Every structure is written in C-alpha cells, then in structure tokens.
C-alpha cells in the first residue's frame, strides 16, 4: 500500500469512527454531488475572478452534509489541485510559482468553506444571483 492510499484509508477510518459506514458513505456521495454542482456552476457562469467563490461554496455545501461530505470535499479538492499542478503549466502556460500561488489561494478558499465560513466572502459583486 503506497503512502497516499494509507493516508486516505486513515482519514476514512477516522471519519467513520463516530458514525456508521452507511451514513458516512451517503454523506460522502452527497458531498461529491455538491462539489460537482459548484464546478458545473463555475463553468456555466464563466465569470472572471469567481473561482474562489465556487471553491468555497462547493466545500461549504459538501461539509454541511456531515463528516462524510467534508471528507469527500477535502479529497476532491486536494486531487483537483494536484492535477492542476500538472496540467496548468502545460495547458495554461503558467510558471511553477504561479501554479503554487493559485493553488494556495484555492486551498484557502476550500478550507474556508469546509470550516463553515460564509462562501459569499469570495463572491464577486456582479456575479448573477443564480449562483
């Protein structure tokens, strides 16, 4: 078992220790849907400087589901940032420093939302109410 698999397994066990597996998995599934909804809304809105809002909102909505949702949000957020660390230099021409700074800002917004803080803190003023 590699290190990342071991870490995910430990998080999963720790997250489930206080509740049943069924509840945890249900929350995780609902949280994953919340993350997908925020991502889909971000793509649909295609609004400049709104990505941090959608990061915070997806994590917030998922974490509101319970420990399973918070766990899913963290795993999805970390995986997304890891993938972008590889693809952004290739597809967007970003330097490693730019990728690092963007990822740091994204993770700040992710943690903000997961902690239960209002995602509207990152919301651009003119973003349509639909989002």
């Amino acid at each position: 078992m590699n290190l990342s698999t071991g870490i995910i397994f430990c998080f999963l066990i720790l997250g489930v220790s206080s509740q049943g597996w069924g509840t945890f998995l249900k929350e995780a599934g609902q949280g994953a849907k919340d993350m997908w909804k925020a991502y889909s809304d971000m793509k649909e809105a295609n609004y400049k400087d709104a990505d941090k809002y959608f990061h915070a909102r997806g994590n917030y909505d998922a974490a509101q589901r319970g420990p399973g949702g918070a766990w899913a949000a963290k795993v999805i957020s970390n995986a997304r940032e890891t993938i972008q660390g590889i693809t952004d230099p290739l597809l967007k021409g970003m330097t490693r420093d730019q990728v690092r700074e963007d990822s740091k800002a994204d993770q700040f917004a992710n943690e903000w939302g997961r902690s239960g803080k209002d995602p509207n803190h990152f919301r651009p003023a003119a973003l349509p109410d639909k989002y």
Side-chain angles (χ1 to χ4, degrees):
M1 177 175 0
N2 66 29
L3 180 60
S4 61
T5 304
I7 291 170
I8 289 172
F9 182 72
C10 287
F11 282 132
L12 185 59
I13 294 300
L14 291 172
V16 177
S17 64
S18 65
Q19 63 183 17
W21 282 95
T23 302
F24 184 87
L25 293 174
K26 179 181 177 186
E27 292 170 359
Q30 292 169 332
K33 286 181 185 176
D34 292 331
M35 295 292 286
W36 180 256
K37 173 72 170 134
Y39 177 77
S40 297
D41 285 349
M42 179 178 70
K43 291 298 185 187
E44 179 185 305
N46 194 27
Y47 196 88
K48 186 171 174 61
D49 297 326
D51 66 322
K52 303 311 181 247
Y53 163 71
F54 289 107
H55 278 267
R57 195 193 85 191
N59 277 268
Y60 176 86
D61 291 345
Q64 295 303 300
R65 303 285 185 172
W71 177 83
K74 187 170 188 172
V75 169
I76 291 167
S77 295
N78 289 342
R80 183 172 186 271
E81 292 306 316
T82 298
I83 291 167
Q84 282 187 316
I86 297 165
T87 60
D88 282 358
L90 301 172
L91 301 176
K92 296 181 180 179
M94 295 172 71
T95 67
R96 289 187 187 271
D97 287 340
Q98 290 171 322
V99 170
R100 236 179 262 116
E101 285 303 310
D102 186 56
S103 180
K104 185 178 175 181
D106 286 348
Q107 289 289 32
F108 180 78
N110 293 336
E111 292 169 16
W112 181 279
R114 273 196 310 273
S115 72
K117 294 179 182 173
D118 186 1
N120 288 313
H121 172 77
F122 297 96
R123 184 184 183 88
L127 184 66
D129 291 341
K130 174 182 178 181
Y131 308 106

